[in-house]
Amino acid sequence: MRDIPVMLNGYKLTVVEAPVPKTRENDRGVQEVVVDRSGVTVFVVSLFAKQRVEVGQRAPKGEEIKVTLATDPGPGFDEDVRVELVSATISPYEIVSDRGTISGISFKALGLTLAAPARAEKGAA
């Protein structure tokens, strides 16, 4: 199963590392920029995902996730900026090698948008 749509509405996503072109090591051991099938550069961003909770409740610990972006999100997505993912998906993976098996999920999205500002609490001036 690949590219399972995922809704992250219940999470606050904050940029930890700004988007940069994704790279991978080629057969000669040289880092090269990753492009999609149409030749467009793929980007990667690190986000801190923390569950939203009601006022007065304690939130569970958050987690840092890396998200592969299909396009350059453009300027304005620096560290500590609150964002939302456009068309987010997850994909399970499993890599078997002589060292053992590694499995997990990878996050992908078409892009990023700035998150709407948090709503002011009732009674706040």
Side-chain angles (χ1 to χ4, degrees):
M1 201 180 273
R2 308 251 333 138
D3 294 341
I4 303 164
V6 62
M7 298 296 291
L8 296 170
N9 299 10
Y11 288 82
K12 296 184 286 186
L13 303 173
T14 306
V15 175
V16 177
E17 292 178 20
V20 294
K22 187 172 186 173
T23 60
R24 95 171 28 121
E25 192 173 295
N26 66 18
D27 297 339
R28 298 178 309 277
V30 176
Q31 291 290 319
E32 60 185 17
V33 173
V34 176
V35 295
D36 68 11
R37 293 177 188 173
S38 61
V40 175
T41 299
V42 176
F43 282 71
V44 65
V45 62
S46 292
L47 304 174
F48 186 74
K50 186 156 180 103
Q51 189 173 356
R52 295 180 197 268
V53 295
E54 297 296 320
V55 175
Q57 290 182 330
R58 186 177 171 109
K61 291 185 177 182
E63 186 166 335
E64 186 174 330
I65 60 173
K66 285 195 182 248
V67 181
T68 299
L69 304 173
T71 59
D72 180 353
F77 296 102
D78 299 319
E79 189 174 327
D80 295 329
V81 171
R82 190 72 54 81
V83 297
E84 294 177 359
L85 296 173
V86 177
S87 298
T89 62
I90 57 171
S91 297
Y93 67 85
E94 182 174 85
I95 301 169
V96 180
S97 71
D98 55 350
R99 295 185 197 164
T101 302
I102 299 171
S103 60
I105 58 171
S106 62
F107 289 85
K108 297 179 190 174
L110 292 180
L112 294 175
T113 61
L114 295 174
R119 286 183 271 154
E121 293 181 35
K122 289 183 180 180

